[in-house]
Short mmCIF file of all heavy atoms in Angstrom, two decimals:
data_model
loop_
_atom_site.label_atom_id
_atom_site.label_comp_id
_atom_site.label_asym_id
_atom_site.label_seq_id
_atom_site.Cartn_x
_atom_site.Cartn_y
_atom_site.Cartn_z
N MET Y 85 169.14 -105.32 71.22
CA MET Y 85 168.75 -104.74 72.49
C MET Y 85 169.32 -103.33 72.58
O MET Y 85 170.46 -103.08 72.24
CB MET Y 85 169.29 -105.61 73.63
CG MET Y 85 168.89 -105.16 74.97
SD MET Y 85 169.35 -106.44 76.14
CE MET Y 85 169.25 -105.53 77.60
N THR Y 86 168.49 -102.41 73.05
CA THR Y 86 168.90 -101.02 73.17
C THR Y 86 169.60 -100.79 74.49
O THR Y 86 169.16 -101.26 75.54
CB THR Y 86 167.67 -100.10 73.08
OG1 THR Y 86 166.97 -100.40 71.89
CG2 THR Y 86 168.07 -98.66 73.12
N THR Y 87 170.68 -100.07 74.42
CA THR Y 87 171.42 -99.72 75.63
C THR Y 87 170.94 -98.36 76.11
O THR Y 87 170.80 -97.43 75.33
CB THR Y 87 172.93 -99.66 75.34
OG1 THR Y 87 173.35 -100.91 74.78
CG2 THR Y 87 173.71 -99.34 76.59
N ILE Y 88 170.67 -98.30 77.41
CA ILE Y 88 170.24 -97.03 78.01
C ILE Y 88 171.42 -96.47 78.80
O ILE Y 88 172.01 -97.17 79.63
CB ILE Y 88 169.03 -97.24 78.96
CG1 ILE Y 88 167.86 -97.81 78.16
CG2 ILE Y 88 168.65 -95.95 79.64
CD1 ILE Y 88 166.66 -98.16 79.01
N GLU Y 89 171.73 -95.25 78.48
CA GLU Y 89 172.82 -94.58 79.19
C GLU Y 89 172.40 -94.31 80.63
O GLU Y 89 171.23 -94.08 80.92
CB GLU Y 89 173.15 -93.26 78.49
CG GLU Y 89 173.68 -93.42 77.09
CD GLU Y 89 175.00 -94.17 77.04
OE1 GLU Y 89 175.85 -93.94 77.92
OE2 GLU Y 89 175.16 -94.99 76.12
N PRO Y 90 173.35 -94.33 81.55
CA PRO Y 90 173.03 -94.07 82.96
C PRO Y 90 172.32 -92.73 83.18
O PRO Y 90 171.41 -92.65 84.00
CB PRO Y 90 174.40 -94.08 83.64
CG PRO Y 90 175.27 -94.90 82.76
CD PRO Y 90 174.75 -94.68 81.37
N GLU Y 91 172.70 -91.73 82.39
CA GLU Y 91 172.07 -90.42 82.54
C GLU Y 91 170.58 -90.49 82.14
O GLU Y 91 169.72 -89.88 82.76
CB GLU Y 91 172.78 -89.36 81.69
CG GLU Y 91 174.21 -89.09 82.08
CD GLU Y 91 175.18 -90.11 81.48
OE1 GLU Y 91 174.86 -90.77 80.49
OE2 GLU Y 91 176.28 -90.25 82.04
N GLU Y 92 170.32 -91.26 81.06
CA GLU Y 92 168.94 -91.42 80.60
C GLU Y 92 168.13 -92.18 81.64
O GLU Y 92 166.97 -91.84 81.91
CB GLU Y 92 168.90 -92.17 79.27
CG GLU Y 92 169.46 -91.41 78.09
CD GLU Y 92 169.45 -92.27 76.84
OE1 GLU Y 92 168.36 -92.73 76.45
OE2 GLU Y 92 170.53 -92.48 76.27
N LEU Y 93 168.75 -93.21 82.18
CA LEU Y 93 168.06 -94.00 83.20
C LEU Y 93 167.76 -93.16 84.44
O LEU Y 93 166.64 -93.20 84.98
CB LEU Y 93 168.92 -95.21 83.57
CG LEU Y 93 168.31 -96.19 84.57
CD1 LEU Y 93 166.98 -96.72 84.05
CD2 LEU Y 93 169.27 -97.34 84.83
N GLU Y 94 168.72 -92.37 84.86
CA GLU Y 94 168.52 -91.49 86.03
C GLU Y 94 167.43 -90.47 85.76
O GLU Y 94 166.57 -90.21 86.61
CB GLU Y 94 169.83 -90.80 86.40
CG GLU Y 94 169.74 -89.93 87.64
CD GLU Y 94 169.42 -90.71 88.90
OE1 GLU Y 94 169.81 -91.89 89.01
OE2 GLU Y 94 168.75 -90.14 89.79
N ALA Y 95 167.42 -89.90 84.55
CA ALA Y 95 166.38 -88.92 84.19
C ALA Y 95 165.00 -89.58 84.19
O ALA Y 95 164.02 -89.00 84.65
CB ALA Y 95 166.68 -88.32 82.83
N ARG Y 96 164.93 -90.80 83.69
CA ARG Y 96 163.64 -91.53 83.66
C ARG Y 96 163.17 -91.85 85.08
O ARG Y 96 162.00 -91.72 85.38
CB ARG Y 96 163.80 -92.81 82.84
CG ARG Y 96 162.53 -93.60 82.72
CD ARG Y 96 161.48 -92.86 81.91
NE ARG Y 96 160.29 -93.68 81.82
CZ ARG Y 96 159.05 -93.25 81.94
NH1 ARG Y 96 158.83 -91.96 82.12
NH2 ARG Y 96 158.04 -94.05 81.85
N ILE Y 97 164.09 -92.24 85.94
CA ILE Y 97 163.74 -92.52 87.34
C ILE Y 97 163.21 -91.27 88.01
O ILE Y 97 162.18 -91.29 88.69
CB ILE Y 97 164.96 -93.08 88.11
CG1 ILE Y 97 165.28 -94.49 87.61
CG2 ILE Y 97 164.72 -93.06 89.61
CD1 ILE Y 97 166.60 -95.05 88.13
N GLU Y 98 163.88 -90.15 87.79
CA GLU Y 98 163.43 -88.88 88.36
C GLU Y 98 162.05 -88.50 87.82
O GLU Y 98 161.19 -88.02 88.57
CB GLU Y 98 164.44 -87.77 88.07
CG GLU Y 98 165.72 -87.91 88.87
CD GLU Y 98 166.77 -86.88 88.51
OE1 GLU Y 98 166.48 -85.96 87.71
OE2 GLU Y 98 167.90 -86.99 89.03
N GLN Y 99 161.82 -88.74 86.53
CA GLN Y 99 160.53 -88.44 85.93
C GLN Y 99 159.44 -89.30 86.57
O GLN Y 99 158.36 -88.82 86.91
CB GLN Y 99 160.56 -88.66 84.42
CG GLN Y 99 159.23 -88.38 83.74
CD GLN Y 99 159.26 -88.68 82.26
OE1 GLN Y 99 160.25 -89.18 81.73
NE2 GLN Y 99 158.17 -88.39 81.59
N LEU Y 100 159.71 -90.59 86.74
CA LEU Y 100 158.72 -91.49 87.35
C LEU Y 100 158.44 -91.10 88.80
O LEU Y 100 157.29 -91.16 89.26
CB LEU Y 100 159.21 -92.93 87.27
CG LEU Y 100 159.21 -93.55 85.87
CD1 LEU Y 100 159.90 -94.91 85.88
CD2 LEU Y 100 157.79 -93.65 85.32
N GLU Y 101 159.48 -90.71 89.53
CA GLU Y 101 159.28 -90.26 90.91
C GLU Y 101 158.42 -89.01 90.95
O GLU Y 101 157.52 -88.89 91.79
CB GLU Y 101 160.63 -90.02 91.59
CG GLU Y 101 161.39 -91.29 91.89
CD GLU Y 101 162.82 -91.03 92.38
OE1 GLU Y 101 163.34 -89.91 92.21
OE2 GLU Y 101 163.40 -91.98 92.94
N ALA Y 102 158.67 -88.09 90.03
CA ALA Y 102 157.88 -86.86 89.98
C ALA Y 102 156.42 -87.17 89.62
O ALA Y 102 155.50 -86.60 90.20
CB ALA Y 102 158.48 -85.88 88.96
N GLU Y 103 156.22 -88.09 88.69
CA GLU Y 103 154.86 -88.48 88.33
C GLU Y 103 154.14 -89.14 89.51
O GLU Y 103 152.96 -88.88 89.74
CB GLU Y 103 154.88 -89.43 87.13
CG GLU Y 103 155.26 -88.75 85.83
CD GLU Y 103 155.45 -89.73 84.67
OE1 GLU Y 103 155.19 -90.94 84.85
OE2 GLU Y 103 155.84 -89.27 83.59
N ALA Y 104 154.86 -89.95 90.27
CA ALA Y 104 154.27 -90.60 91.44
C ALA Y 104 153.88 -89.55 92.49
O ALA Y 104 152.80 -89.64 93.09
CB ALA Y 104 155.25 -91.61 92.04
N GLU Y 105 154.74 -88.57 92.69
CA GLU Y 105 154.43 -87.49 93.64
C GLU Y 105 153.22 -86.69 93.18
O GLU Y 105 152.36 -86.33 93.98
CB GLU Y 105 155.64 -86.57 93.82
CG GLU Y 105 156.77 -87.19 94.60
CD GLU Y 105 157.99 -86.27 94.71
OE1 GLU Y 105 157.88 -85.08 94.37
OE2 GLU Y 105 159.05 -86.77 95.12
N LEU Y 106 153.15 -86.45 91.87
CA LEU Y 106 152.02 -85.73 91.31
C LEU Y 106 150.72 -86.51 91.50
O LEU Y 106 149.69 -85.95 91.87
CB LEU Y 106 152.25 -85.43 89.83
CG LEU Y 106 151.16 -84.65 89.10
CD1 LEU Y 106 150.94 -83.29 89.75
CD2 LEU Y 106 151.53 -84.49 87.64
N ASP Y 107 150.78 -87.82 91.27
CA ASP Y 107 149.61 -88.67 91.47
C ASP Y 107 149.16 -88.63 92.93
O ASP Y 107 147.96 -88.54 93.22
CB ASP Y 107 149.89 -90.11 91.06
CG ASP Y 107 149.96 -90.30 89.55
OD1 ASP Y 107 149.51 -89.40 88.81
OD2 ASP Y 107 150.49 -91.34 89.12
N GLU Y 108 150.11 -88.71 93.85
CA GLU Y 108 149.79 -88.65 95.27
C GLU Y 108 149.16 -87.31 95.63
O GLU Y 108 148.18 -87.25 96.38
CB GLU Y 108 151.04 -88.89 96.12
CG GLU Y 108 151.54 -90.30 96.11
CD GLU Y 108 152.83 -90.47 96.89
OE1 GLU Y 108 153.07 -89.69 97.83
OE2 GLU Y 108 153.59 -91.40 96.56
N ALA Y 109 149.71 -86.24 95.09
CA ALA Y 109 149.18 -84.90 95.37
C ALA Y 109 147.77 -84.77 94.79
O ALA Y 109 146.89 -84.21 95.44
CB ALA Y 109 150.10 -83.83 94.78
N SER Y 110 147.56 -85.30 93.59
CA SER Y 110 146.23 -85.25 92.98
C SER Y 110 145.22 -86.03 93.82
O SER Y 110 144.09 -85.57 94.01
CB SER Y 110 146.27 -85.84 91.56
OG SER Y 110 147.04 -85.02 90.72
N ASP Y 111 145.61 -87.19 94.31
CA ASP Y 111 144.72 -87.98 95.17
C ASP Y 111 144.39 -87.21 96.44
O ASP Y 111 143.25 -87.20 96.90
CB ASP Y 111 145.37 -89.32 95.53
CG ASP Y 111 145.46 -90.27 94.34
OD1 ASP Y 111 144.79 -90.02 93.31
OD2 ASP Y 111 146.22 -91.26 94.44
N LYS Y 112 145.40 -86.58 97.03
CA LYS Y 112 145.19 -85.82 98.27
C LYS Y 112 144.25 -84.64 98.01
O LYS Y 112 143.34 -84.38 98.82
CB LYS Y 112 146.54 -85.33 98.81
CG LYS Y 112 146.45 -84.64 100.13
CD LYS Y 112 146.05 -85.60 101.23
CE LYS Y 112 146.15 -84.93 102.58
NZ LYS Y 112 145.71 -85.81 103.65
N ILE Y 113 144.44 -83.96 96.89
CA ILE Y 113 143.56 -82.84 96.54
C ILE Y 113 142.14 -83.33 96.38
O ILE Y 113 141.19 -82.71 96.87
CB ILE Y 113 144.06 -82.12 95.27
CG1 ILE Y 113 145.34 -81.35 95.58
CG2 ILE Y 113 142.99 -81.20 94.70
CD1 ILE Y 113 146.05 -80.82 94.35
N ARG Y 114 141.96 -84.45 95.69
CA ARG Y 114 140.62 -85.01 95.49
C ARG Y 114 139.98 -85.36 96.84
O ARG Y 114 138.82 -85.03 97.10
CB ARG Y 114 140.67 -86.25 94.60
CG ARG Y 114 139.28 -86.79 94.25
CD ARG Y 114 139.30 -88.12 93.53
NE ARG Y 114 139.85 -89.16 94.40
CZ ARG Y 114 141.01 -89.77 94.23
NH1 ARG Y 114 141.77 -89.45 93.20
NH2 ARG Y 114 141.44 -90.68 95.07
N ASP Y 115 140.75 -86.02 97.71
CA ASP Y 115 140.23 -86.39 99.03
C ASP Y 115 139.84 -85.15 99.84
O ASP Y 115 138.78 -85.12 100.47
CB ASP Y 115 141.26 -87.20 99.81
CG ASP Y 115 141.51 -88.58 99.21
OD1 ASP Y 115 140.70 -89.02 98.36
OD2 ASP Y 115 142.53 -89.21 99.58
N LEU Y 116 140.69 -84.14 99.81
CA LEU Y 116 140.41 -82.91 100.57
C LEU Y 116 139.21 -82.17 99.99
O LEU Y 116 138.40 -81.60 100.74
CB LEU Y 116 141.63 -82.01 100.59
CG LEU Y 116 142.79 -82.51 101.45
CD1 LEU Y 116 144.02 -81.63 101.24
CD2 LEU Y 116 142.41 -82.58 102.91
N THR Y 117 139.06 -82.21 98.68
CA THR Y 117 137.91 -81.57 98.03
C THR Y 117 136.62 -82.27 98.44
O THR Y 117 135.62 -81.62 98.76
CB THR Y 117 138.07 -81.57 96.49
OG1 THR Y 117 139.25 -80.84 96.17
CG2 THR Y 117 136.87 -80.94 95.81
N GLU Y 118 136.66 -83.59 98.45
CA GLU Y 118 135.48 -84.36 98.88
C GLU Y 118 135.16 -84.06 100.35
O GLU Y 118 134.00 -83.89 100.72
CB GLU Y 118 135.71 -85.85 98.68
CG GLU Y 118 135.73 -86.27 97.23
CD GLU Y 118 136.13 -87.72 97.03
OE1 GLU Y 118 136.40 -88.44 98.03
OE2 GLU Y 118 136.18 -88.16 95.87
N GLU Y 119 136.18 -83.98 101.18
CA GLU Y 119 135.97 -83.68 102.60
C GLU Y 119 135.39 -82.28 102.77
O GLU Y 119 134.46 -82.07 103.56
CB GLU Y 119 137.30 -83.80 103.36
CG GLU Y 119 137.17 -83.61 104.85
CD GLU Y 119 138.50 -83.79 105.57
OE1 GLU Y 119 139.44 -84.39 105.01
OE2 GLU Y 119 138.58 -83.33 106.72
N ARG Y 120 135.91 -81.32 102.02
CA ARG Y 120 135.40 -79.95 102.07
C ARG Y 120 133.93 -79.90 101.66
O ARG Y 120 133.11 -79.26 102.33
CB ARG Y 120 136.22 -79.04 101.16
CG ARG Y 120 135.75 -77.58 101.19
CD ARG Y 120 136.09 -76.82 99.95
NE ARG Y 120 135.44 -77.41 98.81
CZ ARG Y 120 135.86 -77.26 97.57
NH1 ARG Y 120 136.93 -76.56 97.31
NH2 ARG Y 120 135.21 -77.83 96.57
N ASP Y 121 133.60 -80.60 100.59
CA ASP Y 121 132.22 -80.62 100.12
C ASP Y 121 131.28 -81.22 101.17
O ASP Y 121 130.17 -80.74 101.38
CB ASP Y 121 132.10 -81.36 98.79
CG ASP Y 121 132.80 -80.63 97.65
OD1 ASP Y 121 133.14 -79.43 97.80
OD2 ASP Y 121 133.01 -81.28 96.59
N GLU Y 122 131.73 -82.28 101.82
CA GLU Y 122 130.93 -82.91 102.88
C GLU Y 122 130.75 -81.95 104.06
O GLU Y 122 129.67 -81.84 104.62
CB GLU Y 122 131.60 -84.22 103.34
CG GLU Y 122 130.92 -84.88 104.51
CD GLU Y 122 129.50 -85.36 104.25
OE1 GLU Y 122 129.08 -85.45 103.08
OE2 GLU Y 122 128.79 -85.62 105.22
N LEU Y 123 131.81 -81.26 104.42
CA LEU Y 123 131.71 -80.30 105.53
C LEU Y 123 130.77 -79.16 105.17
O LEU Y 123 129.99 -78.70 106.03
CB LEU Y 123 133.10 -79.77 105.89
CG LEU Y 123 134.02 -80.77 106.58
CD1 LEU Y 123 135.43 -80.19 106.69
CD2 LEU Y 123 133.49 -81.18 107.94
N LYS Y 124 130.82 -78.70 103.93
CA LYS Y 124 129.89 -77.64 103.51
C LYS Y 124 128.45 -78.13 103.59
O LYS Y 124 127.56 -77.40 104.01
CB LYS Y 124 130.20 -77.20 102.07
CG LYS Y 124 131.38 -76.28 101.94
CD LYS Y 124 131.54 -75.86 100.49
CE LYS Y 124 132.61 -74.83 100.31
NZ LYS Y 124 132.72 -74.40 98.90
N ARG Y 125 128.22 -79.38 103.16
CA ARG Y 125 126.88 -79.94 103.20
C ARG Y 125 126.39 -80.03 104.65
O ARG Y 125 125.27 -79.60 104.97
CB ARG Y 125 126.87 -81.33 102.55
CG ARG Y 125 125.48 -81.96 102.46
CD ARG Y 125 125.54 -83.42 102.07
NE ARG Y 125 126.19 -84.26 103.06
CZ ARG Y 125 125.64 -84.64 104.21
NH1 ARG Y 125 124.43 -84.22 104.53
NH2 ARG Y 125 126.30 -85.42 105.05
N ARG Y 126 127.23 -80.55 105.52
CA ARG Y 126 126.84 -80.68 106.93
C ARG Y 126 126.64 -79.31 107.56
O ARG Y 126 125.75 -79.13 108.40
CB ARG Y 126 127.89 -81.49 107.69
CG ARG Y 126 127.86 -82.93 107.29
CD ARG Y 126 128.67 -83.88 108.11
NE ARG Y 126 129.66 -83.32 109.00
CZ ARG Y 126 130.75 -83.94 109.38
NH1 ARG Y 126 131.03 -85.14 108.95
NH2 ARG Y 126 131.60 -83.36 110.21
N ASN Y 127 127.47 -78.34 107.18
CA ASN Y 127 127.32 -76.99 107.71
C ASN Y 127 125.97 -76.42 107.31
O ASN Y 127 125.30 -75.78 108.12
CB ASN Y 127 128.45 -76.09 107.21
CG ASN Y 127 128.44 -74.74 107.87
OD1 ASN Y 127 128.42 -74.65 109.09
ND2 ASN Y 127 128.44 -73.69 107.06
N GLY Y 128 125.57 -76.66 106.07
CA GLY Y 128 124.27 -76.20 105.60
C GLY Y 128 123.14 -76.82 106.41
O GLY Y 128 122.17 -76.14 106.78
N GLU Y 129 123.26 -78.10 106.70
CA GLU Y 129 122.25 -78.78 107.52
C GLU Y 129 122.19 -78.17 108.92
O GLU Y 129 121.10 -77.95 109.46
CB GLU Y 129 122.56 -80.28 107.63
CG GLU Y 129 122.36 -81.04 106.34
CD GLU Y 129 122.81 -82.49 106.45
OE1 GLU Y 129 123.35 -82.90 107.50
OE2 GLU Y 129 122.61 -83.23 105.47
N LEU Y 130 123.36 -77.91 109.49
CA LEU Y 130 123.39 -77.32 110.82
C LEU Y 130 122.81 -75.90 110.83
O LEU Y 130 122.09 -75.53 111.77
CB LEU Y 130 124.82 -77.30 111.37
CG LEU Y 130 125.40 -78.67 111.73
CD1 LEU Y 130 126.87 -78.54 112.07
CD2 LEU Y 130 124.63 -79.31 112.86
N GLU Y 131 123.08 -75.14 109.79
CA GLU Y 131 122.52 -73.79 109.70
C GLU Y 131 120.99 -73.85 109.65
O GLU Y 131 120.31 -73.03 110.27
CB GLU Y 131 123.08 -73.05 108.49
CG GLU Y 131 124.51 -72.61 108.67
CD GLU Y 131 125.10 -71.94 107.43
OE1 GLU Y 131 124.46 -71.97 106.35
OE2 GLU Y 131 126.20 -71.38 107.55
N GLU Y 132 120.45 -74.83 108.92
CA GLU Y 132 119.01 -74.99 108.86
C GLU Y 132 118.44 -75.33 110.24
O GLU Y 132 117.40 -74.79 110.64
CB GLU Y 132 118.63 -76.10 107.88
CG GLU Y 132 118.83 -75.73 106.43
CD GLU Y 132 118.52 -76.87 105.48
OE1 GLU Y 132 117.91 -77.87 105.91
OE2 GLU Y 132 118.88 -76.76 104.29
N LYS Y 133 119.12 -76.20 110.97
CA LYS Y 133 118.67 -76.56 112.32
C LYS Y 133 118.74 -75.36 113.25
O LYS Y 133 117.84 -75.16 114.08
CB LYS Y 133 119.51 -77.71 112.88
CG LYS Y 133 119.23 -79.03 112.20
CD LYS Y 133 120.08 -80.14 112.77
CE LYS Y 133 119.80 -81.45 112.06
NZ LYS Y 133 120.60 -82.54 112.62
N VAL Y 134 119.79 -74.55 113.13
CA VAL Y 134 119.92 -73.36 113.97
C VAL Y 134 118.79 -72.38 113.65
O VAL Y 134 118.16 -71.83 114.57
CB VAL Y 134 121.30 -72.69 113.77
CG1 VAL Y 134 121.34 -71.30 114.36
CG2 VAL Y 134 122.39 -73.56 114.39
N ASP Y 135 118.52 -72.18 112.37
CA ASP Y 135 117.43 -71.28 111.99
C ASP Y 135 116.09 -71.77 112.53
O ASP Y 135 115.29 -70.99 113.02
CB ASP Y 135 117.36 -71.14 110.46
CG ASP Y 135 118.52 -70.34 109.89
OD1 ASP Y 135 119.20 -69.63 110.67
OD2 ASP Y 135 118.74 -70.43 108.67
N SER Y 136 115.88 -73.07 112.47
CA SER Y 136 114.64 -73.65 112.99
C SER Y 136 114.56 -73.44 114.50
O SER Y 136 113.50 -73.08 115.04
CB SER Y 136 114.58 -75.14 112.65
OG SER Y 136 113.42 -75.72 113.17
N ALA Y 137 115.66 -73.66 115.19
CA ALA Y 137 115.68 -73.47 116.65
C ALA Y 137 115.43 -72.01 117.00
O ALA Y 137 114.72 -71.71 117.98
CB ALA Y 137 117.02 -73.94 117.23
N LYS Y 138 115.99 -71.10 116.23
CA LYS Y 138 115.76 -69.67 116.47
C LYS Y 138 114.28 -69.34 116.32
O LYS Y 138 113.72 -68.58 117.11
CB LYS Y 138 116.57 -68.81 115.50
CG LYS Y 138 118.04 -68.73 115.81
CD LYS Y 138 118.75 -67.87 114.76
CE LYS Y 138 120.22 -67.78 115.00
NZ LYS Y 138 120.89 -66.98 113.96
N ASP Y 139 113.65 -69.92 115.30
CA ASP Y 139 112.22 -69.69 115.09
C ASP Y 139 111.41 -70.18 116.29
O ASP Y 139 110.48 -69.51 116.75
CB ASP Y 139 111.73 -70.39 113.81
CG ASP Y 139 112.29 -69.77 112.55
OD1 ASP Y 139 112.78 -68.62 112.61
OD2 ASP Y 139 112.25 -70.45 111.50
N VAL Y 140 111.76 -71.35 116.81
CA VAL Y 140 111.06 -71.91 117.97
C VAL Y 140 111.26 -71.01 119.18
O VAL Y 140 110.30 -70.71 119.91
CB VAL Y 140 111.54 -73.35 118.27
CG1 VAL Y 140 111.03 -73.83 119.61
CG2 VAL Y 140 111.12 -74.29 117.15
N VAL Y 141 112.47 -70.55 119.41
CA VAL Y 141 112.76 -69.67 120.56
C VAL Y 141 111.99 -68.37 120.42
O VAL Y 141 111.39 -67.89 121.40
CB VAL Y 141 114.29 -69.41 120.67
CG1 VAL Y 141 114.57 -68.27 121.65
CG2 VAL Y 141 115.01 -70.68 121.09
N ASN Y 142 111.98 -67.80 119.22
CA ASN Y 142 111.23 -66.56 119.02
C ASN Y 142 109.73 -66.75 119.25
O ASN Y 142 109.07 -65.90 119.85
CB ASN Y 142 111.48 -66.01 117.62
CG ASN Y 142 112.86 -65.43 117.47
OD1 ASN Y 142 113.49 -65.00 118.44
ND2 ASN Y 142 113.37 -65.43 116.25
N GLU Y 143 109.22 -67.89 118.81
CA GLU Y 143 107.80 -68.18 119.02
C GLU Y 143 107.49 -68.35 120.51
O GLU Y 143 106.50 -67.82 121.01
CB GLU Y 143 107.41 -69.45 118.26
CG GLU Y 143 105.92 -69.72 118.28
CD GLU Y 143 105.57 -70.93 117.44
OE1 GLU Y 143 106.15 -71.10 116.35
OE2 GLU Y 143 104.68 -71.69 117.87
N LEU Y 144 108.37 -69.02 121.22
CA LEU Y 144 108.18 -69.18 122.66
C LEU Y 144 108.26 -67.84 123.38
O LEU Y 144 107.49 -67.56 124.30
CB LEU Y 144 109.22 -70.15 123.23
CG LEU Y 144 109.05 -71.63 122.86
CD1 LEU Y 144 110.26 -72.42 123.33
CD2 LEU Y 144 107.77 -72.19 123.43
N ALA Y 145 109.17 -67.01 122.96
CA ALA Y 145 109.31 -65.67 123.57
C ALA Y 145 108.04 -64.86 123.33
O ALA Y 145 107.58 -64.16 124.24
CB ALA Y 145 110.53 -64.95 123.00
N ARG Y 146 107.49 -64.94 122.14
CA ARG Y 146 106.24 -64.20 121.85
C ARG Y 146 105.11 -64.74 122.74
O ARG Y 146 104.31 -63.96 123.26
CB ARG Y 146 105.86 -64.36 120.37
CG ARG Y 146 106.63 -63.43 119.46
CD ARG Y 146 106.04 -63.40 118.06
NE ARG Y 146 106.02 -64.69 117.41
CZ ARG Y 146 107.02 -65.22 116.67
NH1 ARG Y 146 108.12 -64.49 116.51
NH2 ARG Y 146 106.92 -66.39 116.13
N ASP Y 147 105.05 -66.06 122.91
CA ASP Y 147 104.00 -66.65 123.74
C ASP Y 147 104.14 -66.20 125.19
O ASP Y 147 103.14 -65.95 125.88
CB ASP Y 147 104.05 -68.17 123.67
CG ASP Y 147 103.57 -68.71 122.33
OD1 ASP Y 147 102.97 -67.94 121.55
OD2 ASP Y 147 103.81 -69.91 122.07
N LEU Y 148 105.38 -66.09 125.68
CA LEU Y 148 105.60 -65.68 127.06
C LEU Y 148 105.23 -64.20 127.26
O LEU Y 148 104.85 -63.80 128.36
CB LEU Y 148 107.06 -65.89 127.46
CG LEU Y 148 107.46 -67.34 127.69
CD1 LEU Y 148 108.97 -67.42 127.92
CD2 LEU Y 148 106.71 -67.95 128.86
N ASN Y 149 105.37 -63.41 126.22
CA ASN Y 149 105.09 -61.99 126.34
C ASN Y 149 103.59 -61.66 126.20
O ASN Y 149 103.20 -60.53 126.35
CB ASN Y 149 105.87 -61.19 125.28
CG ASN Y 149 107.35 -61.15 125.62
OD1 ASN Y 149 107.71 -61.15 126.79
ND2 ASN Y 149 108.18 -61.12 124.61
N ARG Y 150 102.78 -62.65 125.95
CA ARG Y 150 101.34 -62.41 125.81
C ARG Y 150 100.64 -62.35 127.13
O ARG Y 150 100.87 -62.74 128.14
CB ARG Y 150 100.70 -63.50 124.98
CG ARG Y 150 101.09 -63.38 123.52
CD ARG Y 150 100.34 -64.38 122.72
NE ARG Y 150 100.86 -64.34 121.35
CZ ARG Y 150 100.61 -65.24 120.46
NH1 ARG Y 150 99.87 -66.26 120.73
NH2 ARG Y 150 101.10 -65.13 119.26
#
């Protein structure tokens, strides 16, 4: 059986903790990236609706001015 020195064990624990923090940060980045992409998609949809509404308003204004 191999004996692990306390210093080695402490270093390994710190390494595992750092890896766990990195994994959590990576997950958070992935989640935020997905959320950003969804917001961009919805923003694009809203911009299309706004453009369509502007077209309708402009058409109504032209009709009123006739």
